[in-house]
């Protein structure tokens, strides 16, 4: 199989028939019961959460919702969460911690929503709080990037014990479009940006960010959503088995170190000149 | 909407500039200060005498990290951590090394943050100061690592942390590695927090993007300087979404106070004493400032 470029993968994840969490959740989990609201402001349609069985074990599922048509997209704000979405996610994660349920996060967003209300309600604070609280949450967390992993808006559901990516998923600090518009003042050069940015599952594995790559159906998940869902299920089974046998202290220390170790710097010895 | 972490701070205040304004800014730098908030023009001498504060509207302008340390900590008390650390090029970004070499030369900084240990009115604290002169204080590997180490040091030594934040957001040139620094620094704050130690964040101009969405928003106490820019998304990105101009005070310190994300706004001239009193109230002992 020839290796696809990042921009070719961008085409695949933008395919109209790309499965969303609305397709995957019923294929992967049993009796998903949705829970609404952050108990502070409202209920955000861009993040769906609830309790379900995974192969007989109760788990908490937190998922970023993309629409499959205009009506769905209006409901989920085209997959871009507001602060209340992140706060709902945190509420459900804390609930999972209390009842010792593992948390499965499904990441698929272009990014946190950028708007006046989002600023007024503290988009930055909401994301920051999730990063801090997920880091010390006393239950296993598995995050899977399904399509787009858009910046801080994705990271807010991706502080985890293991990060997996579907083979065509992309996870980046800025959208290729945003990158092109800042670097070249030309958003139209997004494909070029995409290939420069090192954002594929393979790139992220090399950079120590992605732990597992989940195979999609040949040609992309849209060709066989069920086969792709089966691969996701198989991955979750193995990941949970690995994490559930660890003690909580070990689990949380390893989670801290997973992020602690990412960085590329050097420390030359202090020369007389720099004194 | 992935532009969220790149607030494009540089264009923040220039967006409403007229041609007439542009002509005025052509006057040789160093003679005049033109306030980006109220657009009034003052003699630099007067502006500098006020500690780089606009005499007309009280906008607190940017300071270098060294200037900030000078007015904040006890003379001679600062011991710098990790002073040689420099960034590599994790995603082989074109010309990133050269750009950094040139900036180090120009600014005398190794990267966009200085960390260390110091005293404020005799009380020991770990201090973090970001410097927007270096790539708009964007957060890459060095910023993330030095901040993380500073919090870890404070956790081990049972010391408070005071962080003067300023940043345009994540550092695009370091790709996903830059994004991970948000999680890494927030994790270090979490451990310092669990150890029961105090963290004061002081938001200075501009605190935006990935820094707002990580350690800057996690202080036990969050202080802001008057009129500074604080926000998550870039103003132009939001204006593009809603297709209208935003009011001048959008994403100001005062806007954040009103919406409940800042505890208090403190003038630069009072900052050192306010910090000292807060440390004292949390039983970090030492000399008590007069007044
Ligand atoms: Zn002014």
């Amino acid at each position: 199989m020839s290796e696809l470029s990042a921009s070719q993968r961008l085409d695949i994840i933008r395919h109209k028939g790309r499965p969303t969490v609305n397709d995957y959740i019923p294929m992967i989990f049993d009796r998903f019961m949705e829970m609404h609201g952050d108990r502070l402001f409202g209920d955000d349609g861009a993040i769906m959460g609830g309790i379900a069985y995974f192969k007989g074990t109760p788990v908490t599922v937190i998922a970023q919702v993309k629409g499959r048509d205009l009506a769905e997209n209006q409901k989920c704000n085209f997959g871009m969460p507001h602060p209340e979405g992140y706060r709902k996610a945190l509420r459900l994660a804390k609930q999972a911690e209390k009842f010792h349920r593992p948390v499965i996060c499904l990441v698929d967003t272009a990014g946190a929503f950028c708007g006046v209300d989002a600023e007024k309600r503290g988009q930055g604070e909401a994301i920051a709080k999730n990063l801090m609280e997920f880091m010390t949450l006393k239950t296993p967390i598995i995050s899977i990037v399904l399509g787009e992993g858009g910046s801080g808006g994705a990271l807010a559901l991706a502080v985890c014990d293991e990060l997996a990516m579907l083979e065509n998923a992309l996870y980046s600090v800025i959208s290729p479009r945003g990158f092109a518009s800042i670097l070249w003042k030309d958003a139209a050069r997004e494909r070029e940006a995409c290939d420069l940015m090192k954002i594929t599952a393979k790139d992220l594995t090399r950079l120590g960010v992605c732990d597992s790559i989940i195979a999609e159906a040949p040609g992309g998940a849209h060709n066989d959503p069920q086969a792709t869902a089966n691969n996701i299920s198989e991955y979750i089974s193995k990941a949970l088995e690995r994490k559930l046998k660890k003690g909580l202290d070990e689990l949380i220390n390893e989670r801290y170190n997973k992020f602690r170790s990412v960085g590329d710097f050097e420390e030359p010895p202090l020369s007389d000149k720099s004194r | 909407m992935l532009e969220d972490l790149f607030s494009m701070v540089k264009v923040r205040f220039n967006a409403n500039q007229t041609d007439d304004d542009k002509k005025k800014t052509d006057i040789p730098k160093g003679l005049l200060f033109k306030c980006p908030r109220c657009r009034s023009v003052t003699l630099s001498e007067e502006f500098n005498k006020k500690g780089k504060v606009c005499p007309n509207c009280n906008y607190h302008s940017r300071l270098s990290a060294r200037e900030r340390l000078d007015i904040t900590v006890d003379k001679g008390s600062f011991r710098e951590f990790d002073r040689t650390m420099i960034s590599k090029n994790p995603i082989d970004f074109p010309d990133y090394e050269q750009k950094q070499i040139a900036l180090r030369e120009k600014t005398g900084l190794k990267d966009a943050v200085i960390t260390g240990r110091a005293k404020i009115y005799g009380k020991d604290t770990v201090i973090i100061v970001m410097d927007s002169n270096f790539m708009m204080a964007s957060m890459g590997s060095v910023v993330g690592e030095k901040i993380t180490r500073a919090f870890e040091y404070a956790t081990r030594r049972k010391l408070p942390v005071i962080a003067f934040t300023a940043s345009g957001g994540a550092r695009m040139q370091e790709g996903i590695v830059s994004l991970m620094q948000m999680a890494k620094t927030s994790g270090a704050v979490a451990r310092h927090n669990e150890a029961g130690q105090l963290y004061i964040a002081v938001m200075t101009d501009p605190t935006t993007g990935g820094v707002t969405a990580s350690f800057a928003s996690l202080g036990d106490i969050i202080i802001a300087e008057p009129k500074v820019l604080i926000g998550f998304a870039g103003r132009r990105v939001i204006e593009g979404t809603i297709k209208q101009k935003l009011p001048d005070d959008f994403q100001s310190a005062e806007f954040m106070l009103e919406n409940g994300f800042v505890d208090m706004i403190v003038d630069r001239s009072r900052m050192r004493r306010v910090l000292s009193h807060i440390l004292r109230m949390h039983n970090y002992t030492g000399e008590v400032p007069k007044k």
Side-chain angles (χ1 to χ4, degrees), chain A residues 110 119 151 175 253 256 260 264, chain B residues 2 5 84 141 152 191 233:
Chain A
E119 292 291 318
S151 200
S175 69
N253 267 326
Y256 184 84
R260 179 71 187 83
D264 194 18
Chain B
L2 282 196
L5 297 187
T84 70
S141 295
E152 288 175 340
R191 290 197 161 183

Side-chain angles (χ1 to χ4, degrees), chain A residues 51-183:
Chain A
I51 311 170
Y53 289 107
F54 177 76
K55 303 199 169 165
T57 306
V59 296
T60 288
V61 181
I62 302 172
Q64 284 171 328
V65 185
K66 281 205 173 166
R68 291 166 294 193
D69 53 39
L70 188 64
E72 275 189 18
N73 266 321
Q74 280 168 342
K75 227 179 115 206
C76 70
N77 193 34
F78 295 83
M80 292 178 285
H82 278 78
E84 51 273 22
Y86 295 112
R87 292 183 181 126
K88 171 166 69 177
L90 180 57
R91 179 177 78 82
L92 295 177
K94 284 287 188 188
Q95 188 190 70
E97 177 183 55
K98 177 174 175 183
F99 298 105
H100 313 291
R101 283 193 293 269
V103 178
I104 314 291
C105 293
L106 303 175
V107 177
D108 195 6
T109 181
F113 188 66
C114 295
V116 175
D117 290 339
E119 292 291 318
K120 282 189 176 170
R121 298 202 286 274
Q123 189 72 284
E125 193 271 350
I127 293 172
K129 187 61 73 62
N130 279 19
L131 304 184
M132 179 159 108
E133 296 288 340
F134 277 60
M135 194 63 87
T136 51
L137 198 78
K138 294 181 182 66
T139 195
I141 311 169
I142 309 293
S143 294
I144 304 170
V145 186
L146 299 176
E148 271 183 289
S151 200
L155 182 64
L157 296 189
V159 170
C160 57
D161 299 307
E162 272 196 30
L163 183 90
M165 291 173 71
L166 287 187
E167 68 171 292
N168 293 312
L170 303 172
Y171 184 14
S172 59
V173 68
I174 181 170
S175 69
R177 205 178 163 75
F179 185 96
S181 71
I182 292 176
L183 192 62

Side-chain angles (χ1 to χ4, degrees), chain A:
Chain A
M1 199 179 76
S2 70
E3 197 55 41
L4 295 179
S5 69
S7 53
Q8 286 170 318
R9 296 186 195 279
L10 185 67
D11 295 335
I12 293 176
I13 62 174
R14 283 183 180 169
H15 190 280
K16 278 201 312 287
R18 178 91 179 160
T20 71
V21 293
N22 281 311
D23 302 296
Y24 285 132
I25 286 176
M27 294 177 186
I28 297 170
F29 303 98
D30 297 317
R31 288 189 182 234
F32 174 68
M33 249 188 289
E34 189 175 354
M35 308 284 157
H36 292 276
D38 67 348
R39 302 289 191 271
L40 297 163
F41 177 81
D43 186 44
D44 188 49
I47 293 183
M48 179 200 287
I51 311 170
Y53 289 107
F54 177 76
K55 303 199 169 165
T57 306
V59 296
T60 288
V61 181
I62 302 172
Q64 284 171 328
V65 185
K66 281 205 173 166
R68 291 166 294 193
D69 53 39
L70 188 64
E72 275 189 18
N73 266 321
Q74 280 168 342
K75 227 179 115 206
C76 70
N77 193 34
F78 295 83
M80 292 178 285
H82 278 78
E84 51 273 22
Y86 295 112
R87 292 183 181 126
K88 171 166 69 177
L90 180 57
R91 179 177 78 82
L92 295 177
K94 284 287 188 188
Q95 188 190 70
E97 177 183 55
K98 177 174 175 183
F99 298 105
H100 313 291
R101 283 193 293 269
V103 178
I104 314 291
C105 293
L106 303 175
V107 177
D108 195 6
T109 181
F113 188 66
C114 295
V116 175
D117 290 339
E119 292 291 318
K120 282 189 176 170
R121 298 202 286 274
Q123 189 72 284
E125 193 271 350
I127 293 172
K129 187 61 73 62
N130 279 19
L131 304 184
M132 179 159 108
E133 296 288 340
F134 277 60
M135 194 63 87
T136 51
L137 198 78
K138 294 181 182 66
T139 195
I141 311 169
I142 309 293
S143 294
I144 304 170
V145 186
L146 299 176
E148 271 183 289
S151 200
L155 182 64
L157 296 189
V159 170
C160 57
D161 299 307
E162 272 196 30
L163 183 90
M165 291 173 71
L166 287 187
E167 68 171 292
N168 293 312
L170 303 172
Y171 184 14
S172 59
V173 68
I174 181 170
S175 69
R177 205 178 163 75
F179 185 96
S181 71
I182 292 176
L183 192 62
W184 302 308
K185 314 268 174 276
D186 183 3
R189 288 168 72 182
E190 70 169 341
R191 299 184 68 82
E192 202 181 324
C194 200
D195 290 327
L196 184 75
M197 292 168 65
K198 309 274 189 332
I199 57 177
T200 65
K202 276 217 166 135
D203 293 326
L204 268 64
T205 303
R206 192 178 51 78
L207 290 163
V209 173
C210 173
D211 301 299
S212 291
I213 301 176
I214 301 173
E216 297 184 16
H222 57 278
N223 286 329
D224 192 343
Q226 184 64 57
T228 308
N230 294 347
N231 294 344
I232 297 172
S233 285
E234 199 181 318
Y235 165 73
I236 295 175
S237 293
K238 286 187 188 147
L240 282 183
E241 197 187 311
R242 281 192 288 273
K243 298 303 158 191
L244 283 169
K245 67 181 175 211
K246 288 183 191 288
L248 280 178
D249 286 346
E250 185 188 11
L251 187 77
I252 288 161
N253 267 326
E254 286 181 4
R255 187 185 305 155
Y256 184 84
N257 289 327
K258 169 177 163 57
F259 292 90
R260 179 71 187 83
S261 62
V262 182
D264 194 18
F265 56 86
E266 58 189 335
E267 296 176 85
L270 207 56
S271 71
D272 283 334
K273 229 175 100 190
S274 65
R275 258 164 221 277

Side-chain angles (χ1 to χ4, degrees), chain B residues 107-159:
Chain B
T107 62
L109 295 161
K110 297 274 196 263
D111 207 299
V113 71
I114 292 182
T115 57
R117 197 185 153 139
K119 288 181 194 288
I120 294 179
Y121 285 106
K123 292 176 279 297
D124 285 310
T125 185
V126 165
I127 188 160
I128 294 168
V129 188
M130 299 181 83
D131 193 323
S132 61
N133 293 305
F134 197 99
M135 295 183 82
M136 198 36 77
S138 55
M139 179 156 64
S141 295
V142 171
V143 171
E145 180 70 19
K146 284 175 76 166
I147 289 173
T148 301
R149 286 188 190 179
F151 273 97
E152 288 175 340
Y153 178 92
T155 305
R156 283 195 305 276
R157 302 294 183 95
K158 299 189 166 51
L159 287 171

Side-chain angles (χ1 to χ4, degrees), chain B residues 33 35-40 54-59:
Chain B
F33 165 74
C35 177
R37 268 286 171 206
C38 71
R39 289 166 223 154
S40 69
C54 172
N56 187 49
C57 76
N58 202 31
Y59 160 70

